[in-house]
Amino acid sequence: MTLATPLTGVVPPVCTPLTPDREVDVPSLRALVDHLVAAGVDGLFVLGSTSEVAYLTDRQRRLVTETVVAHVGGRLPVLAGAIDMSTPRVLDQVAAATAAGADGVVVTAPFYARTHRAEIARHFRLIADRSPVPVIAYDIPVAVHSKLPAELVLELAAEGALAGLKDSSGDLAGFREVTAGARGLPGFSVLTGSELLVDAALALGADGVVPGLGNVDPDGYVRLVRLFRAGDRDAARTEQERLCALFGIVGAGDPGRMGGGSAALGAFKAALHLRGVIDCPVTAEPQIPLSAEETERVGKLLAAAGLL
Amino acid sequence: MTLATPLTGVVPPVCTPLTPDREVDVPSLRALVDHLVAAGVDGLFVLGSTSEVAYLTDRQRRLVTETVVAHVGGRLPVLAGAIDMSTPRVLDQVAAATAAGADGVVVTAPFYARTHRAEIARHFRLIADRSPVPVIAYDIPVAVHSKLPAELVLELAAEGALAGLKDSSGDLAGFREVTAGARGLPGFSVLTGSELLVDAALALGADGVVPGLGNVDPDGYVRLVRLFRAGDRDAARTEQERLCALFGIVGAGDPGRMGGGSAALGAFKAALHLRGVIDCPVTAEPQIPLSAEETERVGKLLAAAGLL
Amino acid sequence: MTLATPLTGVVPPVCTPLTPDREVDVPSLRALVDHLVAAGVDGLFVLGSTSEVAYLTDRQRRLVTETVVAHVGGRLPVLAGAIDMSTPRVLDQVAAATAAGADGVVVTAPFYARTHRAEIARHFRLIADRSPVPVIAYDIPVAVHSKLPAELVLELAAEGALAGLKDSSGDLAGFREVTAGARGLPGFSVLTGSELLVDAALALGADGVVPGLGNVDPDGYVRLVRLFRAGDRDAARTEQERLCALFGIVGAGDPGRMGGGSAALGAFKAALHLRGVIDCPVTAEPQIPLSAEETERVGKLLAAAGLL
Amino acid sequence: MTLATPLTGVVPPVCTPLTPDREVDVPSLRALVDHLVAAGVDGLFVLGSTSEVAYLTDRQRRLVTETVVAHVGGRLPVLAGAIDMSTPRVLDQVAAATAAGADGVVVTAPFYARTHRAEIARHFRLIADRSPVPVIAYDIPVAVHSKLPAELVLELAAEGALAGLKDSSGDLAGFREVTAGARGLPGFSVLTGSELLVDAALALGADGVVPGLGNVDPDGYVRLVRLFRAGDRDAARTEQERLCALFGIVGAGDPGRMGGGSAALGAFKAALHLRGVIDCPVTAEPQIPLSAEETERVGKLLAAAGLL
């Protein structure tokens, strides 16, 4: 089971612009897709953590996928997160995402209920069996509180149950084990979710990158990947370090006043708003919004990065 | 905002019997309700962790609540878990549960997305504002990976945002702080989710108990609460210790082969099946089923407790 | 292997008064011992977490044990923590503590190095084999990052390797399992380290209590245990709740500015200083001291408790 | 405060060979040093986690440092871990290590007692003030259960309190922040403790590497660093992947029977024994030894790597 277009390159997790009353802002979502496509990204990932998938209702999730799929019109592959607590609920999400036109689904280990390696394996096998589109494993321990073992990912890949891995674990040694092990599995895509280690991940053999910050500066990530592939590692590193500095926007929100998610998603949306891509920087409930002063700090970092 | 019948006593979290192909087994669910009502319980809690809420689809969740509400017919209050990742998704669950007739909803802190005390407070306030029925906070760090601070629970209780607390945190010192602080809040119910410390919780001033093991032996928990209230603490302790021994059934499943949730829910359902209450002991996917030998161990502990 | 005087009742973990230049303040330490003995405590525990054992050099540890043993002069049993990372280092601490006259040693699971149940079992067996005095297991996951399983404690108790358990885990259900299992082991002492659940622990069958707050108000804990043993559970609960309110002093230090340990130990020492028991409230490096305003808050809570 | 020879290149954490009765095996320790020096390493680090520092008594620690310092005779810098729970105890370890001739000390954040960023900062400042030799921060959350924030490391480096960082956190994004920030601090050494990401760390700007597996195959790590520095990144990656495969020896021990530390240290020592470097593969108490079969698995991986 593979995607028609094998997944490589830059596949940003697409933010979900909201209106002031927290409905999906469809025109802004289309504008964001245009902004990403214009930069030359290689695919789009809707309904990931950066998309505030945890906050979107099922109705909103469908609207997001339908909007993006229709707007992209087949120019790029569109992956959709099918994020829910357990196999039966994820299968409902898979059905909705594929009905809305997604080319692949991205699935985490079970969460909320305690889980076990054997249950995680069973979960992915059951979903792969019943999904009409390829399944990409989403390793995100900060959200689901378990880590996908590299050997399990490779085992499921070898069986054909998984078409790829999106690794947001921060464990680059485990990521290396998967990239090395996946060399003999040509249809399998290894993607890093890190904003800060794209050059390192590519050097280990990653196929692509899914950076949240890629909403704000897709050109930067596209350039970084091209420089790396052209063999200019020093220039790639310089580009990466510029993006690391820009990533400082996620520290604008006061950690005493809000969680790390509110700060990061608030900063991405503030930046998209300041850059004129989306109409409103609001995040979903119950996240805490950035203050005017915090938004100003985001603006200064954008200006320093030459993005304003 | 209070429940018509103030919540006290034994309020079991009702298991969700499934058919071999993992549909809700409505006749078995009704039989289980009868089994609990006959024992003299004081309320029912559907769609909690013990009910495998994390595994039930939205369609199945509605069917469970409708079935139980209809079957109880107003004889007892029925609480329903409104378990999802964030405020907008929980509000959808609240709407479904109340449409199905629940008398109150049970709500956790946000999960999957990282959260913060200020966001948890906002979450409960927004839900309380929009819920047509009383909201009970569900403190279950093992599932949601944050702990509800006692002061926050009391603050929300004093505001009228919360009608009660269901504490499955295992932190009895924090529980004591809530019970002591809630004395001046007459409509507020403090419930423990512990199977093993009911006598201790009652001695601290708990209003009631929500024991998963109460599915298997509701008479035991009803007796325990009555003995305690009658002032016979030694007999209550003896009854509690008998139930602690029975709780050993959750250790029947091999922890090398399955997670703690599979073992506990598998044991409860195996016991209900062995006692003739439900037709099939199957648990939802991707949980690992008990083996025949493990089920036999459950049976021996049931026999030892005089329940076979 | 049992203590000459079986350990029951109130056994406070003795704070270690320091001079302004962070030497052990021997006269203040003797005064603190007098303060505790006068209140009618049943034993003393030096070099526990409340004693800042993690901060005391080996020379200071010896001085503390020698001072207390000499000052007590056999009137009460004196336990000493033998707190270090692994078996060989703990054995050195055991040798030092027994050379200094301790009647028993208190030992945690290994820490710093990753550990495993089998290694923890081996650790306690090796130490028990080589210790000239009884060994009490110290279950303190917040410090050592592993939990002693109840079955392991009972297994080691049945073998005679352990003379008791000091439980600072906060897991009252596990504590109950030990107290129930230890009923057939007459020499084995089950002690809770909780300040807030003494009445509950006694109701479960605890032999004694090791409350850090007992430095500040030993009379309160002695009274609480006596009331409980006299069968007056309501009065015991009232006394316990008074002590819970007093325990609020550990919240005087600003958690944004210092860790929970600095706040708790700083508050205990500030209270002992305000009550005139010790000469100087300083804590060991690198703990952050309470400010004058924070100390004032401690004073107000002491006054409210009738202790000034 | 800087080391006479700035720390770069391969600085293996030296295993501590033991005799069958768990005394330091001085001749084997000298042989191991010879084995490392012959491979061309750039420095030695004694009393690190790989050296079983958590298990060595103070007497054994001194003997190790004295033996290695004397045997090296100034040919290479020798760092020594000064590993203990808090500032006063670490200062005693610093005094012992420098008396034994160490050229620098390696110090973690406080452990056992709960800690806080402000306390960690104070801890390093106090130690730096009183240490006669340069202080290197040791970031090892798996052991001390807190992470050194990159900004704090850089702040302490800029003050001159720290001469370097040894990063065993597994957080390569944080490591990148330190390497980038340290570019303006010429005396500051940034070292990775990873065995598996040496090429990646060097690409980020690391000065050196402290790989436990470097005991077993120092030539491999020396070669890897030389290849990288010569600009041959593909050959460096191939060498790194060979070492990754060799690192599989740490999985020889059964995780059901022993902890990860026992498995890793047991494998390193088994390999050194099989390669004829040390006389006895025993590890310190209470670690679980490898079985004959597990040792055979180590041997097979050594053979596959061409090391037997």
Side-chain angles (χ1 to χ4, degrees), chain D residues 101-181:
Chain D
D103 298 302
V105 288
V106 184
V107 171
T108 71
F111 53 93
Y112 186 87
R114 287 174 289 165
T115 192
H116 182 275
R117 191 192 194 280
E119 293 159 3
I120 295 172
R122 195 170 182 178
H123 174 71
F124 280 111
R125 286 188 179 113
L126 287 163
I127 290 164
D129 270 1
R130 299 178 200 171
S131 172
V133 297
V135 176
I136 297 193
Y138 193 173
D139 191 18
I140 184 162
V142 74
V144 306
H145 302 278
S146 69
K147 170 88 184 80
L148 294 182
E151 325 87 70
L152 177 58
V153 171
L154 291 170
E155 189 182 317
L156 294 167
E159 289 174 20
L162 292 180
L165 170 70
K166 195 246 166 174
D167 183 332
S168 297
S169 72
D171 171 14
L172 208 66
F175 186 76
R176 162 164 246 157
E177 194 176 340
V178 175
T179 57

Side-chain angles (χ1 to χ4, degrees), chain B residues 6-98:
Chain B
L7 266 169
T8 59
V10 179
V11 185
V14 184
C15 282
T16 306
L18 299 177
T19 64
D21 53 354
R22 267 99 183 174
E23 273 307 321
V24 176
D25 177 350
V26 169
S28 285
L29 179 55
R30 288 193 193 118
L32 174 54
V33 167
D34 289 339
H35 162 74
L36 299 171
V37 171
V41 303
D42 303 284
L44 297 172
F45 171 33
V46 298
L47 305 184
S49 306
T50 300
S51 320
E52 297 174 84
V53 68
Y55 302 94
L56 300 176
T57 64
D58 284 350
R59 183 181 54 76
Q60 292 175 325
R61 290 180 177 193
R62 272 192 302 276
L63 178 56
V64 165
T65 306
E66 284 167 359
T67 300
V68 172
V69 166
H71 197 63
V72 165
R75 288 172 292 165
L76 295 177
V78 177
L79 302 180
I83 306 301
D84 217 313
M85 295 170 234
S86 65
T87 313
R89 293 184 66 82
V90 169
L91 285 169
D92 275 4
Q93 298 289 333
V94 168
T98 53

Side-chain angles (χ1 to χ4, degrees), chain C residues 94-157:
Chain C
V94 168
T98 52
D103 299 302
V105 288
V106 184
V107 171
T108 72
F111 53 93
Y112 186 88
R114 287 174 289 166
T115 193
H116 182 276
R117 191 192 192 282
E119 292 159 3
I120 295 172
R122 194 169 182 180
H123 175 69
F124 280 112
R125 286 189 180 112
L126 287 164
I127 290 164
D129 271 0
R130 299 178 202 170
S131 172
V133 297
V135 176
I136 298 194
Y138 193 173
D139 191 18
I140 183 163
V142 73
V144 306
H145 302 278
S146 69
K147 170 88 185 82
L148 294 182
E151 325 84 74
L152 177 58
V153 171
L154 290 170
E155 191 182 316
L156 293 167

Side-chain angles (χ1 to χ4, degrees), chain C residues 54 56 86 119 122 262 287, chain D residues 54 86 89 119 122 262 287:
Chain C
L56 300 176
S86 64
E119 292 159 3
R122 194 169 182 180
S262 290
Q287 292 173 91
Chain D
S86 64
R89 293 184 66 82
E119 293 159 3
R122 195 170 182 178
S262 290
Q287 291 172 93

Side-chain angles (χ1 to χ4, degrees), chain A residues 174-200:
Chain A
F175 185 77
R176 163 164 244 156
E177 195 176 340
V178 176
T179 58
R183 265 177 226 151
L185 302 164
F188 190 80
S189 289
V190 189
L191 311 170
T192 178
S194 174
E195 277 95 352
L196 304 173
L197 295 170
V198 170
D199 54 346

Side-chain angles (χ1 to χ4, degrees), chain D residues 137-227:
Chain D
Y138 193 173
D139 191 18
I140 184 162
V142 74
V144 306
H145 302 278
S146 69
K147 170 88 184 80
L148 294 182
E151 325 87 70
L152 177 58
V153 171
L154 291 170
E155 189 182 317
L156 294 167
E159 289 174 20
L162 292 180
L165 170 70
K166 195 246 166 174
D167 183 332
S168 297
S169 72
D171 171 14
L172 208 66
F175 186 76
R176 162 164 246 157
E177 194 176 340
V178 175
T179 57
R183 266 177 225 151
L185 303 164
F188 190 80
S189 289
V190 189
L191 310 170
T192 178
S194 173
E195 277 95 354
L196 304 173
L197 295 170
V198 170
D199 54 347
L202 292 171
L204 300 182
D207 296 297
V209 49
V210 189
L213 187 66
N215 284 277
V216 178
D217 190 6
D219 304 273
Y221 283 100
V222 168
R223 205 152 50 224
L224 164 50
V225 171
R226 287 182 188 162
L227 288 166

